Amino acid sequence: MEKINLQDIIFVINPHSGTNSGKILEKFKELAPKVDCFVSNSLEEFDVFLTAKAEKYKVLIICGGDGTINTTLKYLIKYSKLKLAVLPNGSGNGFARELGFDGDIKKLLDQILKGGTEKVDVIKINNELCGNMAGLGFDSYVATEFEKMPARGLKTYVYCTIQALLKYKPIQAKVNVNGSVIEGKYHMINIANTRQFGNNALIAPKAVCNDGLFDLVLIKKIPFYVVPNFVVRLFLGKLKNSKYVQFVKASSLVIDSNSETYHVDGEPKKLEETLSIEILKQIEVVKMKM
């Protein structure tokens, strides 16, 4: 285990992620006055700061959600000695939940100073990096609608999801994976590095974040009357028994579809070409689970 001191830590907060950034920053400075803090108001500011300062630190604490964590991946790959820790402040916090991070600042600092880490796979999707979850179809449609809303948070996400259930139509897709072609109409297609979207919605119950594989999750059109049961099974982690879901483990694949959008760690993107997906490499994350 590498020895970590408070001076080796940089705390970066995204004030536009979540709703409690001001209070979190105030509390963090109160508990850890010796830790350097940086408030990132834009990706440009974040890029300039980390490009200049990344080599000074051993641990990057990022305060935000999955999308904010995503912005750190290229630095964690470039600066291999830099380890990631998370103070979750997003809408779903899927990555943070899976790796055992919560809102307890003192516990987080204690674990960082112990020096323990674990490896986590990073996925490459065309020219994008992904740490937790990517997808196309229904969830990318929801992510796109969510992005348009003036308010963030779980309530807004639930509202967008319900509205999407009434409007959304399945996509046609062809997937080249493990030497085979899978083709059909799907409600959504997910690439899962961890088990969950966020809020403990376990879309890929068997996913392991450091096994060199991701889980391809293919979900067929679900009859409206089945949706309540499907949602219950989603949160119980029992989708593996659903006739509407197919799981495939892979290290690379190619997806061709008529979906207009896709998302990477919850951030919507316009889909204009075939998606080539592969495991890129691993990063080091502070070990929280005992």
Side-chain angles (χ1 to χ4, degrees), residues 84-245:
L84 175 66
V86 182
L87 200 56
N89 189 34
S91 300
N93 303 310
F95 183 92
R97 289 174 187 270
E98 285 295 283
L99 275 295
F101 295 103
D102 57 28
D104 189 327
I105 298 171
K106 186 178 184 306
K107 182 175 78 172
L108 177 64
L109 291 169
D110 288 345
Q111 288 300 112
I112 290 172
L113 295 178
K114 288 179 182 178
T117 62
E118 59 182 313
K119 300 284 189 180
V120 173
D121 296 327
V122 174
I123 299 170
K124 184 180 180 183
I125 303 171
N126 289 2
N127 294 316
E128 304 275 351
L129 299 178
C130 175
N132 188 61
M133 188 79 57
L136 57 161
F138 181 79
D139 59 329
S140 65
Y141 179 86
V142 173
T144 302
E145 295 303 302
F146 183 68
E147 187 77 5
K148 300 174 185 175
M149 301 298 285
R152 307 289 281 181
L154 180 58
K155 287 183 180 179
T156 303
Y157 193 83
V158 170
Y159 171 80
C160 290
T161 300
I162 293 171
Q163 290 295 308
L165 284 170
L166 300 174
K167 299 178 183 177
Y168 180 75
K169 291 184 171 32
I171 58 171
Q172 183 72 35
K174 180 169 71 173
V175 184
N176 287 274
V177 57
N178 297 337
S180 300
V181 175
I182 304 172
E183 190 168 5
K185 279 192 172 183
Y186 298 99
H187 199 67
M188 60 182 173
I189 299 173
N190 294 105
I191 306 300
N193 195 35
T194 77
R195 298 178 304 160
Q196 64 171 291
F197 289 129
N199 296 306
N200 295 317
L202 304 176
I203 189 67
K206 297 295 185 180
V208 179
C209 67
N210 53 14
D211 61 354
L213 302 169
F214 51 77
D215 281 34
L216 168 68
V217 187
L218 299 156
I219 301 180
K220 298 176 183 177
K221 180 172 174 54
I222 305 167
F224 198 79
Y225 67 88
V226 175
V227 169
N229 178 263
F230 185 89
V231 171
V232 170
R233 293 172 79 164
L234 173 67
F235 282 93
L236 291 176
K238 293 184 177 180
L239 287 185
K240 64 183 182 297
N241 299 320
S242 172
K243 67 179 182 179
Y244 300 103
V245 185

